[in-house]
Amino acid sequence: MKDQNTSLPIYHGNETIRNISFMVNVAWGNEYLIDLLKLLKERNINVTFFLEGRWVEQYPEYALMIKDSNQEIGNHAYSHKDMRTLTVEEINMEITKTNEKIHEVLGVKPKYFTPPYGYFDSRVLEIAENLKMETILWSLDTVDWKIENPNEIIDKIVPNIKNGSIILMHPTESSLTALPSIIEKALDQNYKIKKISELLNNN
């Protein structure tokens, strides 16, 4: 949750409601995307995909698959740079160029932004807020870009799921393999899996 009067990132949803969300950051991993979307469809689950602008430009057909699967679309900056190292103009460009590309390809205007690597400073938050976007981070991280054993991901995530958890993942083999177990264990504990917008609006 976030104080509406200040520019702060959001790390989780309402901690009194049994909802959780997955955020899928996409700048690579095309080879696992179709199977990931198939898995989500089979389980009737919608999550939020944060897309890199450059990736949308290079792979519009994959971006369209995500949108057409009724998944929510967020902004993951244009070129996956550490936003803290950029000028104000460059930060603005990274976010706005991605919004423009997503709108051009998908007809969607993202409301949510997540910075590459989770790195940000006050300028990044202020620029996102000026663009009427909320900055989303996470409360649980699969670290699936370096953890290859899906059981390790399951053991890392499942015991730590709480009301409002936002779980970060990417299109990787390890997360794709771990996800069915994570979903089943969450559902068994009566959690509902929501898109970020639903998580934050307590739907």
Side-chain angles (χ1 to χ4, degrees):
M1 303 297 288
K2 135 177 175 173
D3 182 343
Q4 295 299 319
N5 299 318
T6 57
S7 182
L8 293 172
I10 294 169
Y11 293 88
H12 54 80
N14 191 319
E15 293 177 299
T16 67
I17 299 177
R18 217 157 178 78
N19 291 339
I20 64 172
S21 189
F22 290 87
M23 58 186 294
V24 186
N25 288 358
V26 183
W28 39 265
N30 296 6
E31 62 269 40
Y32 303 110
L33 259 178
I34 292 173
D35 285 341
L36 175 57
L37 292 172
K38 182 179 176 185
L39 170 63
L40 294 172
K41 182 179 180 181
E42 285 171 353
R43 286 173 168 68
N44 195 29
I45 289 171
N46 300 114
V47 300
T48 304
F49 283 74
F50 287 84
L51 309 183
E52 183 199 70
R54 183 176 54 183
W55 180 87
V56 174
E57 197 168 59
Q58 291 174 332
Y59 304 105
E61 67 281 9
Y62 282 104
L64 279 164
M65 281 182 201
I66 294 170
K67 186 211 170 193
D68 291 345
S69 298
N70 199 32
Q71 306 300 328
E72 188 166 51
I73 305 296
N75 179 321
H76 191 36
Y78 185 77
S79 57
H80 219 272
K81 293 175 180 171
D82 178 347
M83 305 285 275
R84 302 170 303 179
T85 67
L86 305 180
T87 65
V88 166
E89 292 75 18
E90 288 169 333
I91 294 168
N92 190 71
M93 183 280 292
E94 284 280 326
I95 301 175
T96 56
K97 189 173 181 181
T98 301
N99 280 346
E100 289 164 4
K101 185 54 61 177
I102 287 173
H103 188 255
E104 175 190 326
V105 174
L106 303 179
V108 171
K109 293 183 178 178
K111 295 187 296 183
Y112 303 111
F113 166 71
T114 194
Y117 315 104
Y119 296 159
F120 66 91
D121 58 23
S122 61
R123 300 171 309 145
V124 175
L125 299 177
E126 286 167 13
I127 288 168
E129 186 170 58
N130 289 339
L131 293 168
K132 296 183 166 49
M133 302 181 76
E134 294 188 273
T135 299
I136 307 295
L137 291 172
W138 52 86
S139 49
L140 294 174
D141 186 354
T142 60
V143 199
D144 55 3
W145 52 274
K146 72 174 181 180
I147 295 179
E148 296 182 359
N149 183 344
N151 291 322
E152 193 175 334
I153 291 177
I154 293 167
D155 292 343
K156 179 178 173 55
I157 298 299
V158 170
N160 295 303
I161 293 176
K162 299 174 183 175
N163 294 351
S165 287
I166 298 176
I167 302 166
L168 172 64
M169 58 176 287
H170 303 82
T172 64
E173 184 176 10
S174 54
S175 263
L176 180 61
T177 306
L179 193 55
S181 290
I182 296 173
I183 289 171
E184 291 306 320
K185 290 177 189 302
L187 295 176
D188 285 347
Q189 296 177 55
N190 297 317
Y191 288 106
K192 293 181 179 176
I193 300 170
K194 304 284 189 175
K195 296 181 279 195
I196 294 290
S197 59
E198 295 170 330
L199 186 78
L200 300 184
N201 291 324
N202 302 327
N203 292 337

